[in-house]
Amino acid sequence: MRIGIYGGSFNPIHKGHTQLAASIVEQGLVDELWLMVSPLNPLKQASTSDIAEFEHRLKMAELATQGIEGVKVSDFERHLPLPSYTITTLGELQKAYPEHEFVLVIGADNWERFPRWYHADEIIERYQILIYWRPGCEIDESSLPASVKMVDTPLYDVSSTQIRDSVKNGRMMRRWLDEKVARYIKRHQLYL
Ligand code: ATP
């Protein structure tokens, strides 16, 4: 199978994440999309202090993706040494599942920062990359390497940062949250 790997902190997962994941599968770009919940994002750890524990983020991702065809949540990075760089994750996935082909799925915002990623050239050489549009990002499609392709998905105007801020301010943005995730955040008193 062709598996898309969609990584992030998912702190917390919101409908921008899940609707995008569903759209990529529905368009037949991959057979399955695995949400790879990151134990620690090497580029984010310095700036985000309100990061919920891995187990909470994983559980919320599972709740939010229940019943979405072809979209799975993976805790694969839990078993890898920290920090878990994408090139390592992809290599270990390929070893663990030699029968699958792994494709990286990232946002245009991440593509703009991609040269800073650990072993970026090697990722491009070895794997296909699907890039979805993010607001305010400009990418010249004619300049992309052969293994990199833009995909057409709707734009969702939401971020986990906005959700966390809304919880902190006592007005949780429920419109962008799965109901079960909203209840989970309340029950566990996350992001206060
Ligand atoms: P934060 O606000 O904490 O930085 P985030 O909402 O950007 O979080 P991440 O966990 O960093 O969420 O997201 C994982 C991946 O999902 C990233 O590659 C990011 O580009 C993408 N993503 C985030 N928000 C959206 C959205 N609204 N629509 C589509 N993709 C998104």
Side-chain angles (χ1 to χ4, degrees), residues 123-130 144-149:
I123 299 177
I124 295 171
E125 261 165 47
R126 289 214 200 149
Y127 301 93
Q128 257 197 36
I129 305 181
L130 299 177
L144 295 175
S147 60
V148 182
K149 192 177 141 203

Side-chain angles (χ1 to χ4, degrees), residues 40-123:
L40 253 191
N41 178 335
L43 295 180
K44 253 188 194 179
Q45 69 197 63
S47 60
T48 313
S49 55
D50 54 352
I51 185 130
E53 279 176 27
F54 179 72
E55 297 305 332
H56 285 316
R57 291 182 285 118
L58 190 71
K59 185 69 197 167
M60 290 189 282
E62 282 166 357
L63 291 171
T65 53
Q66 270 172 13
I68 307 181
E69 184 100 32
V71 176
K72 307 262 162 75
V73 174
S74 174
D75 69 346
F76 191 81
E77 288 190 343
R78 176 210 295 276
H79 310 290
L80 301 181
L82 289 172
S84 41
Y85 291 108
T86 301
I87 185 72
T88 312
T89 303
L90 289 170
E92 292 298 320
L93 279 167
Q94 202 67 76
K95 266 192 242 162
Y97 303 96
E99 70 278 23
H100 293 326
E101 176 201 359
F102 290 96
V103 174
L104 185 62
V105 178
I106 61 171
D109 51 339
N110 270 321
W111 177 251
E112 287 175 347
R113 292 192 292 262
F114 199 75
R116 282 168 54 202
W117 285 27
Y118 186 63
H119 288 210
D121 291 342
E122 201 181 327
I123 299 177

Side-chain angles (χ1 to χ4, degrees), residues 117-187:
W117 285 27
Y118 186 63
H119 288 210
D121 291 342
E122 201 181 327
I123 299 177
I124 295 171
E125 261 165 47
R126 289 214 200 149
Y127 301 93
Q128 257 197 36
I129 305 181
L130 299 177
I131 306 176
Y132 54 87
W133 290 104
R134 295 302 313 280
C137 292
E138 282 175 30
I139 290 175
D140 172 11
E141 288 186 59
S142 64
S143 70
L144 295 175
S147 60
V148 182
K149 192 177 141 203
M150 296 301 303
V151 301
D152 217 2
T153 47
L155 289 178
Y156 309 99
D157 187 14
V158 60
S159 72
S160 298
T161 304
Q162 289 170 328
I163 306 254
R164 293 195 301 276
D165 287 346
S166 76
V167 175
K168 221 168 284 162
N169 299 334
R171 303 176 64 123
M172 193 194 289
M173 289 167 64
R174 287 179 178 265
R175 188 163 69 90
W176 286 105
L177 283 174
D178 177 277
E179 223 174 274
K180 296 185 283 307
V181 172
R183 280 204 295 271
Y184 189 96
I185 291 175
K186 274 207 129 170
R187 184 164 0 111

Side-chain angles (χ1 to χ4, degrees), residues 4-32:
I5 296 300
Y6 175 38
S9 0
F10 302 107
N11 183 41
I13 190 163
H14 52 62
K15 287 188 182 172
H17 297 131
T18 47
Q19 290 179 15
L20 175 98
S23 165
I24 287 183
V25 174
E26 276 163 20
Q27 290 186 50
L29 295 162
V30 295
D31 298 308
E32 280 186 1

